[in-house]
Structure formats: structure tokens, C-alpha cells
């Protein structure tokens, strides 16, 4: 029997291996794809991280660029990275419900420049979304143009490359401001202290093939470096008498006790303790109309006797177009009705044989009452005269005498202002109206005879804390020095940056090693604080012990080369400071004299679109409208840069050209002819633009606040007097133009020609900085000492000397005041840090 063996069927298994193989292959493929996806994700994450890191670094660079603009706006402008001062990049701010303004509203001001505080226009009030300065790429136009230029200056962005970095948003607004309130328009208001100067937020983008692939923002809080403010050449809480033979130039002398001025020099005439002569009278002025009076072409009058009956007449004046004599008193001349009936600009009035044309009112009106301040053309009293030292004034809490003979300045020895200028016949160059005494209090009102003499004590604890916060990095500019014992009576050792121990004379010797070289002390000019022996305050009986005296002389300076100059703000706690025998330590160099005085009364703004005066729209039209006046009492000279060339352009004319008679002064004297004075702006006129075209002169000046123009002395004659007046701009003799810019070597300056710019040389325009002159100072800056001064010889100081103790000196040391100490620009001159970043954060 045959057995049949049944074989299993393979038909069901047919193709399963293929299926399994396919499944394995798919699984492996998915796993491979997963690894590829993970790899690509990691790569994308890495690329994104790189883009964001680069964007953050770019934003940080942008913040630092804006910080540098605050440090030195002029430097930033010269390098083309400073934003232009235009309303297109600024936000109109609202305050007090309806009042509006802009940050740095004067277009001639540089954004972020000093002053950083004071009046509203110098401070920031906006929030993030209402930033005072707002520059956004999304706004296009000027915003994009500026941000492109800044990005190209900061980053390497070769044309045609697929990747680039871009600053896309810059906002500068108010710093943290506790207890301030945000108004309905989004601006901060309050009177509490701010925590800094400004907040800076910069956004940067990483661009790849034209698309944004990374964006980061960085925010920084900016604070002002708290350098002390100084406004006098010598100030002391002690006495400046006896052997105190200081000769002071160009600034204030103040003593909380008695004073002996050993360089009696006539300064600007002072009406009272606050006001110098009001020289805006005569600058752009109308005089009271008089009957039976001869008038010449160009004379401008206002009908003084009619103003009370018709307030509209305050807005207009009458300019003589036909010379002659006004109607006599009897029979009566034109009454007020004749003026009231002709108030539209361009209308004419016939008055006797005089022909008048109605014009806009002048900015200043001489009064017909008995007010001494406003009754005379004071500008005529000053122009073409030489004043020995227009900036010098002395103020004592006790009595004041001058010269070694201890002469009382005037017969009225009791009056706080014994020589006040109170009569128009008094000599402006022969009366010590710049001397004040018995200043134990301050009088009320705007014309005080007495302003209390107070020594500006620097708070020990505060300034010590500031110095200790500087980390003592040699490049910080803020240094703290701990007393480390004395090796002799005049050599005091201090431990300073890097833990090094040196004597104080070596520490403060910042004389440059060659022209523009590194300072001999290896530090930056800045703030130097030298502590007491026991690190306690010497003020208010807190037990601080002063260190031994500091004396600068040839033997105390051990550096090579053997030169010496202290630079910056130096705070000492020594028993005495002084100098002697410094002849071999000095070298000649040039330093700026103070700038020209101005009257902070504002100016009438001009509508540049119509070339007419800007009027308050709510007030109607001339003659009932009010002029818009800008810049009153804001502690800076203001003008309107109509032609946009970045400077005040002045057109001067000979005011005696239409009159063969010389200019009559209030004191009855006359000037020589010709007399050049600025021609004020008037509607329809054209100011000069020498930068665009020196040959086009124009016929008026840009609107500006009144100032006195000075003819400065030659570079080698810093002790000479100052001539007041403007010069013939067409003159080929350029002696009236003096250099304001240093040359390439020490004690050298640029050459001045008729074509020199106002920034290079003094001019007929307002000069904030005076001419450069040669001096040999052993101190350039401010030196404050808790002790006194005791020295001999004839050392020169450029800046200010402040002593809590008495001044006792033999010889004739000289102090030339550096006006930048009062304006806050010494930091720029010495390249000191104006601001610092108090905090920084990234979004």
C-alpha cells in the first residue's frame, strides 16, 4: 500500500518575503529620513541661532553707536552717523494739556548734544511708542536713508551678497522716572528726579536673500557722568586777602569772607547783581515817536503815547522812508487816530515832512518812562569800545577792596553793589560795576542788587561713592585713590588703579607724551578722588583727617620728560595745595578764550515756507496776532537756520552809511564812522549763505538772539582787552578773524582768511568758543581741595581753583577761567566720558 504524503501548499506564502523586505526597506528609509529631518532641524536651529546672535550683536553695536553720539555729537556728525535734526525723525510732544514741543527744537542744535538737561527741549519725555526720537525702517524715506547709512558704517555689507545686517529701528525716549505720570498723549510728566538721561532701544535684523531671518532688540539706560559743575575761576569758603596775589582772567571770583582783588580790571557794566547791561536795546529797536523831531531814512519809531489806547499798535512800527522833520507840537501834529488808521504793513503815513511806512514791530522798544534799563540804546554805549576783561566779576560775602593798597572801589562802601551802573553818563571802561560785596542774602525780584555768595561745596560722601564706582580701570576715566602714607612733607603716596602705589603728583600728571601722545600717568583725563588719611569725611565735623600738603615744583615731578599738567576734575583732601618753581615743567600750547555774551530773550520765528513771521494761529492776523518767540531763558544761544547750512549767518551793514553823523551814544559821546552792526531779519529778505556761495551776500541776518561780537586779541596776547564790535566783511585785512581750531603741532593754529568757516575762526556771527591763545598752565580743568591754597611763584592755571580754606599766595599766580567748565564742554575738550550705560537688557 502506498502512502501518499501531502505536501504543504506554498501558494499562500508566495510574495510574503517581498512584502517583508519592502516593510524593512520602508522602515529603514523612514529611519533614515528621520535622521535627515533631525539633522536638517538641528542645522536650521543652528542657522536660526546664528542669525539671532548676529542680530543681537548688531543691536548691541547700534546701541553703542547711539551712546557714542551722546558722548560726542560733533564727532558723530563729522563721521556721518548722527541723525539730522529734523521733525521727520522726532515726535511732537504734548504737555500741560495743550502745549507742544520737540526735543532739540532748534534745527541748528545737534541731536544728543550737550546740554543733556535743564530746559524741556534738552530732555526726553516719550515712552516706547511715543519716543522723542523715532527712526523706523518701515517708515521709509529719510528713515530708511539714515538707517542704511548707519548700517553700512557699522557693518561689512558688501553689495550683492545674500546676507547682511541692518539697524531697523532706533528709539530714544525718557529714562525710568519714578512717580511721574503718563499723560493721555503718552508722554511723561512730573517733578521727581529721573533715573538717567535717556532710554535707548535699538532693533537690528539679519537679512538673507532680501528676507528678515533674525531680529533682536537691545535696550540701554543712559546716565550722565556726574562731573561737578563749576562757574568761577576762583571760589573759596575762606578769605582771599593778605598775600593772595592771584591774578584772575575771564571769569568769576567768589569768597564767603573778605576779598582783595589784586587784578582790578573793568568788566562788562552791571545794572544790578544779576543783569549786565541790556544791549538788546539798540540791536533791533524802535524809539518813541516825537514831534518836531528830525528823522533820517531807516529810522524806526513806535507811537509810544498811543499804545495804551490801541494795543494793536504794539505789533507794528513805522520806518522812515522820506527824511524830514515831524509836525511841530503847535500846531498839533498827527494825533493817535492817524496811526490807528494805518496799521497794515506797507501802509504809509505823512507826518510833517517825514514819510513813514508801516512795518512789523521791532523786537525791542525803547520806553518813554523813567525805567533806566530800557530807556537807552545800550548797544551804542558798548560798540567800538575796548573792555579790559568783559567776563571778570568779583563777589564777596564780606568786604571787597582792590590792589595791594586795599582801595575801596567806590565811595559807597556799604552797598552790596557799590559801583552799580545806574547813570548813562558813567564810563563803561572806568567803573567797577563788576565788583560786589556784603552778599549775605539774595534780594527778591528780577533785578536784585544782592545775590548771596555761596561756596559750591562738593559733598565728600557722594563724590567718594562716584569715584569708587568707577572700578579703577585705567580706561574708565573715574578713579579712586586711597592714602598710603607720605615719604616726605610734599610727596603723599596713594594706591590707585591696578593696586599701584605712587605719589599724588605722579598720579595727577596727565601731561601728554608728545603732541597727542599718551598721558604720562597712563590714565585718561577724568575724575580723580584722593581720599583723606582715615577715609572719613572732613566735612561737618565727621572726623576726617586731611593729608599733608601737595606742592608742584621741579623736584616733585620725577617723570621723563620732566613736564607736568593735571587734567580733568581733581578732588583733593589735602591740608594745602600750591606750586613753586614750575618753569621747567611747562610748555606752550593754545587754549580757547570764553565765547561771546548774549541776551537770552528769544527770537521771533519765521515761517520758512512763506518767508514771513510765524504767528500764533489762535491770535488771528496782523496786527492782532502774536509773534511766535522761541528760546526765552533756556540758557543757550538760539537762532533759526533758515538756509540749513548748520551755522548762524549774519549780514552786517554800516549804520552810518545813510547818515554823515557818527553814532550817538547814551552818554553823549559819539562813535567813529563807519559802525558795522547786524541787519535784523525782515519779511521777504534773504540771509547770506557763505558755505553754499560766498559771493552771494544777502540783505539780512538769520533770526537770532542778540549778542555782542568781540574782536579777540592775538594768540600771543591772552591778557589784552577785548574790543566790542562787528567788522567790514569785505575787508582784505583778516586780523578780526582769529583761529578757534588747533594746528597739527603744539602751540599752533589753523590760518584764518576771509573764506574761513565760522567753526574754524571767529567771525561776525555769534562765537560760542573764543579765539585760541598761548598759555602754559600746570592745571587744565577744575581742582577742588578741602584745605586751602599756599604757594609762591607765578604758575598758571587754566580752568578753576576751588578751596574750602583760605587763599594765601606770594608771587603772582594766574588763573584763566575755562568757560567750558560752566557749559559742560570740558568733557569734550579732554575726551572725557559724558555719559555711561547704567543698565542694558535684551528682548
Amino acid at each position: 500500500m502506498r502512502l501518499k504524503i501531502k505536501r504543504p501548499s506554498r501558494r499562500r506564502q508566495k510574495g510574503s518575503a517581498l512584502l517583508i523586505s519592502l516593510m524593512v526597506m520602508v522602515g529603514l528609509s523612514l529611519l533614515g529620513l528621520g535622521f535627515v529631518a533631525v539633522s536638517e532641524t538641528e542645522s536650521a536651529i543652528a542657522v536660526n541661532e546664528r542669525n539671532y546672535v548676529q542680530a543681537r550683536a548688531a543691536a548691541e553695536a547700534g546701541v553703542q553707536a547711539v551712546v557714542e553720539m551722546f558722548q560726542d555729537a560733533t564727532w558723530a556728525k563729522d563721521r556721518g552717523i548722527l541723525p539730522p535734526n529734523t521733525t521727520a525723525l522726532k515726535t511732537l510732544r504734548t504737555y500741560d494739556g495743550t502745549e507742544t514741543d520737540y526735543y532739540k527744537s532748534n534745527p541748528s542744535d545737534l541731536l544728543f548734544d550737550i546740554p543733556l538737561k535743564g530746559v524741556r527741549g534738552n530732555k526726553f519725555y516719550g515712552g516706547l511708542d511715543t519716543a522723542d526720537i523715532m527712526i523706523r525702517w518701515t517708515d521709509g524715506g529719510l528713515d530708511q536713508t539714515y538707517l542704511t547709512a548707519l548700517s553700512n558704517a557699522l557693518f561689512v555689507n558688501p553689495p550683492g551678497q545674500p546676507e547682511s545686517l541692518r539697524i531697523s529701528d532706533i528709539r530714544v525716549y525718557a529714562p525710568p522716572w519714578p512717580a511721574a505720570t503718563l499723560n493721555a498723549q503718552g508722554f511723561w510728566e512730573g517733578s521727581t528726579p529721573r533715573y538717567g538721561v535717556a532710554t535707548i532701544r535699538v532693533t537690528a535684523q539679519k537679512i538673507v536673500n532680501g528676507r528678515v531671518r533674525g531680529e533682536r532688540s537691545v535696550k540701554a539706560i543712559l546716565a550722565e557722568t556726574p562731573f561737578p559743575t563749576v562757574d568761577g575761576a576762583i571760589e573759596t569758603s575762606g578769605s582771599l586777602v593778605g598775600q593772595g596775589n592771584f591774578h584772575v582772567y575771564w571769569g568769576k571770583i567768589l569768597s564767603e569772607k573778605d576779598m582783595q582783588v589784586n587784578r582790578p580790571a573793568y568788566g562788562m557794566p552791571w545794572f544790578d547783581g544779576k543783569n549786565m547791561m541790556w544791549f538788546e536795546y539798540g540791536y533791533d529797536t524802535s524809539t518813541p515817536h516825537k514831534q518836531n523831531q528830525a528823522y533820517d531814512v531807516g529810522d524806526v519809531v513806535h507811537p509810544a503815547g498811543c499804545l495804551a489806547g490801541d494795543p494793536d499798535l504794539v505789533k507794528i512800527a513805522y520806518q522812515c522812508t522820506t527824511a524830514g522833520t515831524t509836525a511841530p507840537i503847535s500846531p498839533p501834529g498827527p494825533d493817535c487816530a492817524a496811526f490807528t488808521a494805518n496799521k497794515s504793513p506797507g501802509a504809509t503815513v505823512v507826518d510833517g515832512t517825514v514819510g513813514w511806512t508801516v512795518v512789523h514791530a521791532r523786537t525791542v522798544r525803547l520806553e518813554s518812562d523813567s525805567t533806566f534799563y530800557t530807556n537807552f540804546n545800550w548797544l551804542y554805549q558798548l560798540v567800538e569800545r575796548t573792555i579790559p576783561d568783559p567776563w571778570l566779576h568779583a563777589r564777596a560775602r564780606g568786604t571787597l577792596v582792590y590792589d595791594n593798597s586795599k582801595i575801596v572801589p567806590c565811595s559807597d562802601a556799604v552797598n552790596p553793589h557799590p559801583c552799580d551802573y545806574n547813570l548813562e553818563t558813567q564810563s563803561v571802561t572806568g567803573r567797577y560795576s563788576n565788583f560786589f560785596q556784603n552778599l549775605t542774602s539774595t534780594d527778591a525780584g528780577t533785578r536784585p542788587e544782592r545775590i548771596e555768595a555761596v561756596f559750591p561745596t562738593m559733598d565728600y560722601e557722594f563724590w567718594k561713592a562716584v569715584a569708587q564706582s568707577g572700578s579703577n580701570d585705567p580706561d574708565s576715566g573715574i578713579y579712586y585713590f586711597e592714602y598710603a602714607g607720605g615719604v616726605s612733607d610734599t610727596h603723599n603716596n596713594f594706591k590707585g588703579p591696578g593696586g599701584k602705589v605712587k605719589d599724588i603728583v605722579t598720579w595727577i600728571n596727565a601731561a601728554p607724551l608728545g603732541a597727542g601722545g599718551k598721558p604720562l600717568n597712563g590714565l585718561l583725563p577724568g575724575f580723580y578722588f584722593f581720599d583723606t588719611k582715615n577715609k572719613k569725611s572732613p566735612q561737618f565735623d565727621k572726623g576726617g583727617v586731611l593729608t599733608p600738603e601737595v606742592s608742584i615744583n621741579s623736584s616733585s615731578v620725577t617723570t621723563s620728560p620732566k613736564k607736568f599738567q593735571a587734567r580733568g576734575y581733581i578732588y583733593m583732601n589735602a591740608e594745602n595745595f600750591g606750586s613753586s618753581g614750575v618753569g621747567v615743567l611747562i610748555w606752550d600750547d593754545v587754549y580757547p578764550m570764553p565765547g561771546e555774551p548774549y541776551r537770552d530773550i528769544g527770537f521771533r520765528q519765521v515761517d520758512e515756507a512763506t518767508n514771513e513771521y510765524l504767528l500764533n494761529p489762535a491770535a488771528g492776523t496782523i496786527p492782532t496776532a502774536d509773534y511766535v518767540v522761541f528760546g526765552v531763558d533756556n540758557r543757550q544761544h538760539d537762532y533759526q537756520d533758515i538756509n540749513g547750512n548748520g551755522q548762524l549767518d549774519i549780514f552786517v551793514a554800516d549804520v552810518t552809511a545813510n547818515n554823515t553823523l557818527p553814532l550817538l551814544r547814551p552818554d553823549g559821546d559819539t562813535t567813529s564812522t563807519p559802525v558795522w552792526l547786524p541787519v535784523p531779519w525782515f519779511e521777504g529778505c534773504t540771509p547770506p549763505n557763505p558755505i553754499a556761495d560766498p559771493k552771494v551776500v544777502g540783505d539780512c541776518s538769520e533770526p537770532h538772539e542778540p549778542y555782542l561780537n568781540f574782536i579777540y586779541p592775538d594768540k600771543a596776547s591772552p591778557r589784552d582787552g577785548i574790543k566790542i564790535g562787528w567788522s567790514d566783511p569785505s575787508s582784505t585785512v583778516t586780523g578780526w578773524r582769529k583761529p578757534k581750531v588747533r594746528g597739527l603741532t603744539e602751540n599752533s593754529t589753523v590760518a584764518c582768511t576771509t573764506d574761513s568757516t565760522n567753526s574754524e575762526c571767529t567771525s561776525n556771527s555769534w562765537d560760542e568758543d573764543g579765539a585760541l591763545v598761548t598759555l602754559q598752565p600746570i592745571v587744565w580743568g577744575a581742582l577742588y581741595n578741602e584745605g586751602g591754597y599756599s604757594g609762591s611763584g607765578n604758575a598758571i592755571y587754566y580752568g578753576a581753583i576751588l578751596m574750602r580754606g583760605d587763599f594765601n599766595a606770594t608771587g603772582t599766580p594766574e588763573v584763566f577761567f575755562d568757560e567750558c567748565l560752566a557749559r559742560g564742554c570740558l568733557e569734550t575738550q579732554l575726551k572725557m566720558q559724558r555719559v555711561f550705560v547704567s543698565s542694558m537688557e535684551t528682548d
Side-chain angles (χ1 to χ4, degrees):
M1 179 174 175
R2 287 183 73 178
L3 295 176
K4 288 186 177 181
I5 300 174
K6 190 175 182 179
R7 300 181 183 275
S9 177
R10 297 178 180 270
R11 189 172 297 177
R12 295 179 182 178
Q13 300 177 9
K14 197 173 186 178
S16 61
L18 179 61
L19 180 60
I20 293 172
S21 298
L22 288 173
M23 291 176 65
V24 171
M25 291 177 64
V26 169
L28 291 174
S29 297
L30 289 175
L31 185 61
L33 289 173
F35 282 119
V36 171
V38 170
S39 176
E40 289 181 350
T41 300
E42 291 295 329
S43 177
I45 291 173
V47 170
N48 289 338
E49 178 66 18
R50 182 194 64 189
N51 289 337
Y52 278 103
V53 168
Q54 290 177 340
R56 183 183 65 186
E60 291 174 347
V63 166
Q64 189 56 48
V66 179
V67 171
E68 292 304 316
M69 296 174 197
F70 276 91
Q71 301 287 21
D72 193 340
T74 302
W75 171 88
K77 180 176 182 292
D78 292 341
R79 282 151 184 80
I81 64 173
L82 185 73
N85 189 348
T86 170
T87 56
L89 304 181
K90 298 189 291 187
T91 302
L92 183 64
R93 312 180 299 193
T94 303
Y95 63 100
D96 291 343
T98 58
E99 298 296 323
T100 59
D101 71 347
Y102 286 100
Y103 167 71
K104 297 288 186 185
S105 56
N106 190 342
S108 62
D109 291 340
L110 300 181
L111 296 183
F112 314 132
D113 201 7
I114 54 175
L116 303 176
K117 52 190 176 183
V119 298
R120 276 191 56 90
N122 296 329
K123 296 184 288 189
F124 297 89
Y125 291 87
L128 176 62
D129 296 325
T130 54
D132 306 72
I133 303 295
M134 188 178 297
I135 310 174
R136 299 177 295 194
W137 182 266
T138 55
D139 288 341
L142 179 61
D143 295 62
Q144 284 193 7
T145 300
Y146 170 74
L147 292 173
T148 299
L150 178 62
S151 300
N152 291 338
L154 296 178
F155 314 122
V156 179
N157 289 325
Q161 293 296 316
E163 298 187 4
S164 62
L165 292 170
R166 177 172 73 197
I167 302 295
S168 60
D169 193 299
I170 297 176
R171 303 186 189 198
V172 186
Y173 49 99
W177 196 351
T181 57
L182 198 65
N183 65 26
Q185 291 76 30
F187 299 97
W188 294 98
E189 295 184 6
S191 58
T192 56
R194 300 160 171 247
Y195 287 177
V197 170
T199 301
I200 301 168
R201 198 197 75 165
V202 174
T203 302
Q205 297 173 334
K206 173 67 180 294
I207 309 298
V208 180
N209 295 322
R211 299 181 63 183
V212 177
R213 294 300 187 184
E215 181 177 273
R216 299 298 295 272
S217 296
V218 174
K219 183 173 70 173
I221 309 300
L222 210 59
E224 188 172 14
T225 304
F227 294 120
T229 299
V230 180
D231 66 352
I234 287 185
E235 298 184 84
T236 174
S237 64
S239 59
L240 189 60
V241 295
Q243 298 300 314
N245 292 323
F246 272 95
H247 284 194
V248 180
Y249 298 81
W250 310 341
K252 180 176 71 175
I253 317 170
L254 181 141
S255 171
E256 285 193 328
K257 295 183 180 178
D258 296 330
M259 181 185 296
Q260 178 179 321
V261 180
N262 280 51
R263 181 196 171 234
Y266 300 113
M268 280 286 294
W270 288 75
F271 287 158
D272 53 49
K274 178 183 178 181
N275 295 283
M276 289 190 295
M277 183 174 279
W278 288 8
F279 54 78
E280 68 267 30
Y281 287 85
Y283 206 86
D284 183 19
T285 307
S286 60
T287 61
H289 170 271
K290 296 181 179 180
Q291 293 181 306
N292 200 28
Q293 173 80 26
Y295 288 98
D296 206 342
V297 173
D299 290 341
V300 181
V301 302
H302 58 270
C306 306
L307 297 180
D310 188 350
D312 288 347
L313 293 175
V314 173
K315 304 300 179 184
I316 58 176
Y318 298 84
Q319 187 169 22
C320 178
T321 52
T322 302
T325 303
T326 56
I329 297 175
S330 179
D335 57 16
C336 291
F339 291 106
T340 301
N342 295 278
K343 297 185 295 187
S344 299
T348 59
V349 177
V350 178
D351 179 11
T353 59
V354 178
W356 302 108
T357 296
V358 179
V359 295
H360 285 275
R362 294 301 184 241
T363 56
V364 174
R365 295 195 316 272
L366 287 182
E367 306 294 346
S368 57
D369 56 19
S370 59
T371 305
F372 178 72
Y373 290 58
T374 61
N375 269 8
F376 301 96
N377 280 320
W378 295 116
L379 179 64
Y380 302 166
Q381 196 86 306
L382 297 171
V383 71
E384 300 298 319
R385 280 179 164 157
T386 298
I387 294 181
D389 190 338
W391 305 282
L392 179 68
H393 55 118
R395 298 171 183 266
R397 195 177 186 89
T399 59
L400 185 150
V401 295
Y402 71 86
D403 209 350
N404 286 323
S405 301
K406 300 182 180 180
I407 302 170
V408 177
C410 293
S411 57
D412 188 359
V414 179
N415 195 305
H417 193 185
C419 306
D420 55 341
Y421 195 91
N422 54 14
L423 190 64
E424 71 274 11
T425 57
Q426 291 168 345
S427 170
V428 298
T429 59
R431 186 171 180 83
Y432 292 115
S433 63
N434 54 329
F435 284 5
F436 304 84
Q437 64 176 1
N438 300 323
L439 303 179
T440 57
S441 61
T442 298
D443 297 338
T446 58
R447 302 176 184 179
E449 285 291 338
R450 191 192 319 261
I451 297 178
E452 185 176 3
V454 179
F455 176 72
T457 298
M458 295 176 65
D459 184 84
Y460 168 91
E461 301 289 356
F462 174 79
W463 290 110
K464 180 176 179 177
V466 168
Q468 289 178 327
S469 70
S471 76
N472 264 17
D473 181 335
D475 295 326
S476 70
I478 302 177
Y479 309 109
Y480 171 79
F481 300 89
E482 177 185 346
Y483 184 67
V487 296
S488 71
D489 290 341
T490 57
H491 283 64
N492 304 308
N493 284 338
F494 284 84
K495 183 169 70 173
K500 297 179 181 179
V501 176
K502 302 178 183 179
D503 68 85
I504 188 173
V505 175
T506 302
W507 276 126
I508 65 176
N509 188 4
L513 187 61
K518 187 176 181 180
L520 291 174
N521 61 4
L523 307 178
L524 296 175
F527 181 67
Y528 294 63
F529 184 93
F530 293 90
D531 211 344
T532 58
K533 275 187 175 182
N534 57 358
K535 300 182 183 179
K536 294 183 179 180
S537 173
Q539 300 171 351
F540 312 114
D541 298 323
K542 292 185 178 180
V545 179
L546 300 181
T547 61
E549 70 174 13
V550 178
S551 179
I552 310 298
N553 53 59
S554 298
S555 62
S556 66
V557 176
T558 58
T559 55
S560 180
K562 206 173 180 65
K563 298 293 182 182
F564 179 87
Q565 188 178 75
R567 295 184 174 190
Y569 294 82
I570 300 172
Y571 189 130
M572 289 185 181
N573 287 282
E575 294 175 350
N576 278 298
F577 170 83
S579 59
S580 63
V582 298
V584 298
L585 303 177
I586 63 175
W587 71 96
D588 291 344
D589 204 355
V590 288
Y591 301 85
M593 297 182 71
E596 295 166 341
Y598 64 92
R599 291 285 294 159
D600 199 8
I601 61 173
F603 67 88
R604 293 178 186 165
Q605 284 189 275
V606 171
D607 186 338
E608 298 179 23
T610 62
N611 208 26
E612 297 177 351
Y613 283 115
L614 190 63
L615 307 173
N616 285 318
T621 57
I622 288 291
T624 59
D626 291 327
Y627 300 109
V628 177
V629 178
F630 175 83
V632 179
D633 292 332
N634 65 356
R635 298 192 295 272
Q636 65 182 33
H637 183 262
D638 297 292
Y639 69 94
Q640 187 169 350
D641 187 11
I642 291 179
N643 56 35
N645 65 5
Q647 68 178 26
L648 169 61
D649 295 306
I650 297 295
F651 174 73
V652 298
D654 176 12
V655 296
T656 63
N658 294 324
N659 191 341
T660 57
L661 298 176
L663 205 63
L664 181 64
R665 303 183 188 273
D667 61 9
D669 197 3
T670 57
T671 66
S672 58
T673 55
V675 175
W676 296 88
L677 292 178
V679 175
W681 188 92
F682 56 89
E683 288 194 335
C685 72
T686 303
N689 190 351
I691 293 179
D693 188 350
K695 297 180 181 179
V696 178
V697 176
D699 56 358
C700 69
S701 304
E702 290 181 316
H704 62 281
E705 290 182 311
Y707 66 96
L708 287 181
N709 199 67
F710 285 170
I711 309 299
Y712 286 89
D714 293 335
K715 180 167 76 81
S717 305
R719 298 164 183 82
D720 285 3
I722 298 293
K723 182 180 178 180
I724 299 173
W726 288 259
S727 301
D728 180 357
S730 64
S731 173
T732 57
V733 179
T734 59
W736 57 278
R737 303 213 68 183
K738 300 296 178 14
K740 298 193 293 185
V741 176
R742 295 170 176 267
L744 299 178
T745 59
E746 292 174 351
N747 198 30
S748 67
T749 60
V750 299
C752 291
T753 67
T754 54
D755 295 329
S756 296
T757 64
N758 293 355
S759 61
E760 294 175 322
C761 302
T762 59
S763 63
N764 275 333
S765 183
W766 179 71
D767 292 306
E768 182 177 23
D769 297 308
L772 292 172
V773 291
T774 299
L775 296 172
Q776 307 85 24
I778 63 169
V779 171
W780 180 7
L783 193 152
Y784 175 93
N785 186 28
E786 286 291 331
Y789 183 96
S790 180
S792 60
N794 56 352
I796 295 175
Y797 303 87
Y798 179 71
I801 306 295
L802 298 90
M803 301 283 157
R804 281 182 61 86
D806 294 338
F807 273 82
N808 292 293
T810 57
T812 54
E814 296 176 304
V815 179
F816 292 82
F817 183 55
D818 183 2
E819 190 181 47
C820 278
L821 288 167
R823 298 204 319 260
C825 59
L826 180 69
E827 295 90 322
T828 300
Q829 286 186 354
L830 294 178
K831 304 304 179 186
M832 297 159 66
Q833 298 295 306
R834 259 184 214 168
V835 295
F836 64 94
V837 176
S838 60
S839 69
M840 181 179 290
E841 61 184 57
T842 306
D843 64 354

